[in-house]
Structure formats: C-alpha cells, structure tokens
Amino acid sequence: MNGVIGSIIPIILFVLFFVMMFGIGFILNMLMKTTWFPSYLFVIVIIPAVVISYWKSDLSFAGNIEAYSLVDMSTAFAGLIGAIISGTTIRMLRRSGFRMF
C-alpha cells in the first residue's frame, strides 16, 4: 500500500503545481497586462526563496544541491511550465482579439 501511495504523490504534486502556477500566472497576466511576468517572478523570486529556505550551512554547495530529490525538481519544473503556458495562453488570446487579456 505504501508503494502505491508513494508513486501517486509525485504525480499529484506535479499536476497541482502546474495548475496552481498556470492559474496564478493567468490572473497576474490579466491584471497587470504583462505576458511573461509570472515566469520571471517564478525564476527570480520563488525558486531562490525555496532554495534559500532549505539551505543548510553545514553542507557544501554540491551537498545542498544533492539534497533535493527528483520530486522536488519535478514540482519546480511543473510550476515553471505552468507559468510559461499561462503566458503563451494569454498571448494567443490577445492575438485572437480578446482585449481584456
């Protein structure tokens, strides 16, 4: 039972972060009328904030990077992909003639 749940959780995290960043990015794009701001925000602010919050001073740089698992990296990648796709969606909607986007 534990093996099944252990393999489902990363899939749920991947989908959750993708949908969450897509939604937040879409709303930010509508409110601020910027296309790629959520992607830049994710790369410049969110990823470094998470890395700094889990950084351990007693480990080396390589040791800290190795401390992140594949699940951690895939959820960050899913969030980045969601932010990029939200910008792409807004851009396509603007080119299609939707002025509110």
Side-chain angles (χ1 to χ4, degrees):
M1 186 71 177
N2 193 14
V4 174
I5 292 175
S7 62
I8 292 175
I9 290 175
I11 296 169
I12 292 171
L13 282 171
F14 190 86
V15 172
L16 179 70
F17 272 77
F18 175 80
V19 170
M20 181 178 65
M21 282 308 298
F22 179 83
I24 291 170
F26 196 85
I27 291 169
L28 281 175
N29 281 324
M30 284 193 317
L31 294 175
M32 298 179 66
K33 304 231 185 260
T34 60
T35 303
W36 301 112
F37 178 72
S39 301
Y40 298 144
L41 180 73
F42 190 80
V43 171
I44 295 171
V45 175
I46 296 175
I47 290 178
V50 170
V51 169
I52 289 170
S53 67
Y54 288 111
W55 197 267
K56 296 178 182 167
S57 60
D58 58 336
L59 292 176
S60 66
F61 179 78
N64 277 308
I65 298 300
E66 289 174 359
Y68 293 103
S69 67
L70 182 61
V71 174
D72 298 330
M73 291 180 208
S74 67
T75 53
F77 182 70
L80 180 62
I81 294 299
I84 291 170
I85 291 179
S86 74
T88 305
T89 304
I90 288 289
R91 188 174 53 170
M92 286 182 359
L93 287 169
R94 284 185 188 137
R95 287 184 180 169
S96 298
F98 290 95
R99 294 290 174 215
M100 64 182 277
F101 298 112

